[in-house]
């Protein structure tokens, strides 16, 4: 059966409309699939309306093709009228979204905005890296600091503590967080801590020595410096830096001990120097005393050599006794061979203080064969020949010649002859013994000389004067004539 030209054109037109209808009706399906896979599509409502509009147009083409095949022109007109009404409605609904779509920036603007956002992101990333590096450095500085660092809130509660403060107090960081500063100080220091917190609220810093209570209960001496951290003009928190003073206190105590030891050593050395200086001064004084007294003894010996009679010897001895011993009174006794008693040869000062004649038992010096008194314990035990007042003191010096007692020298004054100073007393006793020995020697020499003169002038058997006496007397008589 042959197909006419109009039929072929109709079939071609219907085919094209069906293909266009299928293609247009596939647009809503594609938009639905795209909406499910891409949640970030701009203006999804506008896309749905466009898809609906294209789908309706496709449906119109499809219905128009069916109407042409059915040869129903009226149906085709109604379909086109419905399509027109639907298109107008769709246009009304799409117009607000279309205005927003037209207001979107262009591709160039989007690329420029994208480049600016990338630059801002890079700057923000760099700033974050700098902040992270600064935080890492800050954390390293805080964690490795030799001082304890903590941060307190406005009421003194610990919100941060570095490892050093934990090591100092013996607490863990978790244990310290939440504790108040008042819990870590002795009860006596709590009013000062409260006052410091009040000063911090006024924006002031506080520094000073404190004591903190360790976990073991022991007290830790520290130097604590706290400063308020401000935020928008108000105190946000309090930064505290704590320095352990244990080593410094220990060093201070050691220095104090060394200083005390040094002071003791200096005091001991000073005392030793003073004692040495005193000994040297005493030795020098004794040397001067010895030199002065020995000089006077030599001078006395020279004077005694010039004496012709025992009275002169006794007088010289009395004068030098006053110079050597400050004896304001004294008596020199000599032995009387006929009676065995000691009679006064010479005296000076108060003669009534000692007897004119004494026996050997009346004097302790003669009994002991040495000077008396010679110790401080003998002050109250006096010789029997003395009649002294309560403030008078005496010294008896026995005189010996050829191993026998030839006399005694009694010296008297208002001060003791024996002093507690052993060296001075020993030196004085030595000088006194030499004084007595010199006096005894010269008295003995005079007695011996007199005896020799008597023997040279008289005959030993008849006791008559001899020729020598005659020659001496005739010379004297010639001289007198």
């Amino acid at each position: 059966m042959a197909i006419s030209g109009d039929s072929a054109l109709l079939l071609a037109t219907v085919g094209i409309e069906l293909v266009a209808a299928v293609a247009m009706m596939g647009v809503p399906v594609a938009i639905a699939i795209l909406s499910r896979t891409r949640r970030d599509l701009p203006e999804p409502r506008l896309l749905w309306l466009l898809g609906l509009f294209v789908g309706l147009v496709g449906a119109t083409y499809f219905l128009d093709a069916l109407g042409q095949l059915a040869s129903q022109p009226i149906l085709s007109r109604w379909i086109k009228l419905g399509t027109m009404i639907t298109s107008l409605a769709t246009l009304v609904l799409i117009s607000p979204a279309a205005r927003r779509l037209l207001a979107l920036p262009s591709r160039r603007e989007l690329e420029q905005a994208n480049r600016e956002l990338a630059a801002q992101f890079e700057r923000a990333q760099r700033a974050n890296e700098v902040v992270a590096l600064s935080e890492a450095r800050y954390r390293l500085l805080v964690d490795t600091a030799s001082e304890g660092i903590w941060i307190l809130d406005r009421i003194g509660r610990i919100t941060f503590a570095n490892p050093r403060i934990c090591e100092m107090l013996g607490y863990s960081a978790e244990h310290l967080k939440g504790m108040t500063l008042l819990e870590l100080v002795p009860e006596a220091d709590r009013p000062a801590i409260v006052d410091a917190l009040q000063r911090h609220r006024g924006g002031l810093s506080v520094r000073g020595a404190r004591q903190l209570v360790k976990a073991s209960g022991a007290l830790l001496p520290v130097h604590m410096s706290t400063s308020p951290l401000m935020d928008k003009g108000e105190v946000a928190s309090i930064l505290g830096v704590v320095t352990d003073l244990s080593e410094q206190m220990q060093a201070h105590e050691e220095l104090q001990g060394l200083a005390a030891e040094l002071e003791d050593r200096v005091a001991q050395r000073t005392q030793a120097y003073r004692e040495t200086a005193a000994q040297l001064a005493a030795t020098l004084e004794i040397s001067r005393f010895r030199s002065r007294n020995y000089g006077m003894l030599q001078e006395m010996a020279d004077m005694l050599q010039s004496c012709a009679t025992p009275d002169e010897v006794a007088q010289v001895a009395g004068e030098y006794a006053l110079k050597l011993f400050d004896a304001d009174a004294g008596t020199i006794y000599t032995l009387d061979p006929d009676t065995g008693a000691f009679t006064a040869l010479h005296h000076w000062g108060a003669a009534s203080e000692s007897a004119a004649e004494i026996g050997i038992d009346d004097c302790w010096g003669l009994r002991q064969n040495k000077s008396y008194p010679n110790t401080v314990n003998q002050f109250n035990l006096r010789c029997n020949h003395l009649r002294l007042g309560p403030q008078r003191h005496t010294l008896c010096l026995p005189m010996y010649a050829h191993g026998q007692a030839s006399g005694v020298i009694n010296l008297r004054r208002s001060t003791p002859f024996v002093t507690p100073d052993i060296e001075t007393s020993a030196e004085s006793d030595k000088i006194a013994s030499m004084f007595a020995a010199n006096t005894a020697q010269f008295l003995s020499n005079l007695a011996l000389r007199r005896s020799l003169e008597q023997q040279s002038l008289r005959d030993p058997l008849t006791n008559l004067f001899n020729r020598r006496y005659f020659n001496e007397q005739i010379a004297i008589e010639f001289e007198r004539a």
Side-chain angles (χ1 to χ4, degrees), residues 106-159:
S106 64
R107 181 176 180 179
R108 181 178 298 175
E109 293 175 347
L110 290 174
E111 291 177 352
Q112 180 66 25
N114 188 27
R115 287 194 295 271
E116 293 178 357
L117 287 175
Q120 291 179 2
F121 176 76
E122 185 177 359
R123 289 195 296 270
Q125 188 175 9
R126 290 178 181 176
N128 290 335
E129 291 177 357
V130 172
V131 171
L133 180 60
S134 177
E135 289 180 354
R137 290 176 178 174
Y138 168 76
R139 176 65 63 179
L140 179 63
L141 177 64
V142 171
D143 291 344
T144 59
S146 59
E147 285 80 14
I149 300 174
W150 55 20
I151 297 178
L152 315 175
D153 58 13
R154 290 172 55 87
I155 64 174
R157 185 183 292 108
I158 299 173
T159 59

Side-chain angles (χ1 to χ4, degrees), residues 5 20 31 53 172 227 306 316 466:
I31 290 175
F53 176 72
S172 63
S227 302
S306 303
V316 170
N466 57 18

Side-chain angles (χ1 to χ4, degrees), residues 6 21 33 45 60 69 78 81 100 117 167 171 245 266 283 292 303 326 337 339 355 361 392-393 401 409-410 448:
D6 293 336
I33 295 172
R45 183 180 176 185
T60 301
L69 289 176
W78 281 105
L81 178 62
R100 290 196 301 272
L117 287 175
E167 179 185 355
Y171 290 102
L245 299 180
V266 170
T283 303
R292 170 182 170 273
M303 290 293 295
D326 293 331
T339 62
D361 294 333
R392 298 290 287 173
H393 299 272
I409 302 174
N410 176 250
L448 180 60

Side-chain angles (χ1 to χ4, degrees), residues 399-455:
M399 294 189 296
Y400 288 88
H402 307 293
Q404 295 181 352
S406 61
V408 62
I409 302 174
N410 176 250
L411 305 177
R412 300 181 294 275
R413 67 183 185 186
S414 299
T415 57
F417 285 90
V418 181
T419 62
D421 188 352
I422 299 176
E423 293 184 3
T424 304
S425 295
E427 190 64 28
S428 299
D429 187 65
K430 186 176 180 180
I431 297 296
S433 299
M434 294 176 66
F435 170 77
N438 286 344
T439 304
Q441 180 182 0
F442 281 97
L443 286 174
S444 176
N445 290 341
L446 286 176
L448 180 60
R449 184 168 60 182
R450 178 177 295 181
S451 175
L452 291 176
E453 286 179 354
Q454 290 292 332
Q455 292 178 8

Side-chain angles (χ1 to χ4, degrees), residues 149-465:
I149 300 174
W150 55 20
I151 297 178
L152 315 175
D153 58 13
R154 290 172 55 87
I155 64 174
R157 185 183 292 108
I158 299 173
T159 59
F160 170 80
N162 73 335
R164 176 56 180 159
I165 191 67
C166 297
E167 179 185 355
M168 290 165 56
L169 296 178
Y171 290 102
S172 63
E174 292 75 12
H175 195 172
L176 277 179
K177 289 180 181 179
M179 294 182 66
T180 62
L181 186 56
L182 293 176
E183 298 178 49
L184 296 175
V185 298
E187 187 175 355
D189 293 346
R190 291 179 181 176
I193 297 300
V194 173
D195 180 68
L197 292 175
Q198 292 178 352
R199 296 181 64 182
H200 289 324
R201 294 188 186 99
L204 300 177
S205 300
V206 178
R207 297 177 180 84
R210 293 282 186 271
Q211 284 186 326
L212 298 179
V213 180
K214 301 173 66 174
S216 60
L219 295 179
L220 177 68
V222 298
H223 181 274
M224 190 162 54
S225 175
T226 51
S227 302
L229 300 178
M230 309 301 291
D231 184 16
K232 296 180 181 180
E234 295 183 356
V235 178
S237 57
I238 300 170
L239 174 64
V241 178
V242 181
T243 303
D244 188 359
L245 299 180
S246 299
E247 295 182 357
Q248 298 181 12
M249 295 294 291
Q250 183 178 0
H252 180 67
E253 292 177 357
E254 292 178 356
L255 287 176
Q256 284 184 335
L258 292 175
E261 182 180 357
L262 181 60
E263 289 180 358
D264 291 340
R265 290 184 179 179
V266 170
Q268 293 175 1
R269 293 289 179 86
T270 303
Q271 183 65 25
Y273 290 153
R274 288 177 179 175
E275 292 177 357
T276 304
Q279 292 176 359
L280 290 175
T283 303
L284 181 60
E285 185 65 26
I286 292 173
S287 178
R288 290 176 179 174
F289 176 77
R290 183 185 296 123
S291 176
R292 170 182 170 273
N293 291 334
Y294 285 176
M296 283 196 291
L297 285 174
Q298 184 62 40
E299 183 181 346
M300 172 185 167
D302 294 340
M303 290 293 295
L304 290 175
Q305 287 180 357
S306 303
C307 295
T309 62
D311 291 335
E312 291 180 353
V313 172
Q315 185 177 359
V316 170
E319 291 293 331
Y320 278 91
L322 181 61
K323 294 179 181 179
L324 288 169
F325 308 106
D326 293 331
D328 55 9
T331 304
I332 298 177
Y333 297 90
T334 57
L335 178 63
D336 187 353
D338 297 333
T339 62
F342 296 87
T343 59
L345 176 64
H346 175 73
H347 67 83
W348 66 95
S352 61
E353 292 181 339
S354 182
E357 182 176 316
I358 63 175
I360 192 171
D361 294 333
D362 295 331
C363 180
W364 287 102
L366 291 173
R367 289 184 184 185
Q368 295 179 342
N369 294 330
K370 61 181 180 181
S371 63
Y372 182 87
N374 48 58
T375 65
V376 294
N377 298 325
Q378 299 171 345
F379 284 165
N380 296 325
L381 188 61
R382 292 182 174 179
C383 298
N384 295 329
H385 61 87
L386 297 173
R387 294 180 292 274
L388 299 177
Q391 300 298 327
R392 298 290 287 173
H393 299 272
T394 184
L395 176 65
C396 292
L397 301 173
M399 294 189 296
Y400 288 88
H402 307 293
Q404 295 181 352
S406 61
V408 62
I409 302 174
N410 176 250
L411 305 177
R412 300 181 294 275
R413 67 183 185 186
S414 299
T415 57
F417 285 90
V418 181
T419 62
D421 188 352
I422 299 176
E423 293 184 3
T424 304
S425 295
E427 190 64 28
S428 299
D429 187 65
K430 186 176 180 180
I431 297 296
S433 299
M434 294 176 66
F435 170 77
N438 286 344
T439 304
Q441 180 182 0
F442 281 97
L443 286 174
S444 176
N445 290 341
L446 286 176
L448 180 60
R449 184 168 60 182
R450 178 177 295 181
S451 175
L452 291 176
E453 286 179 354
Q454 290 292 332
Q455 292 178 8
S456 65
L457 296 177
R458 291 180 181 271
D459 185 84
L461 295 177
T462 62
N463 200 26
L464 298 176
F465 292 108

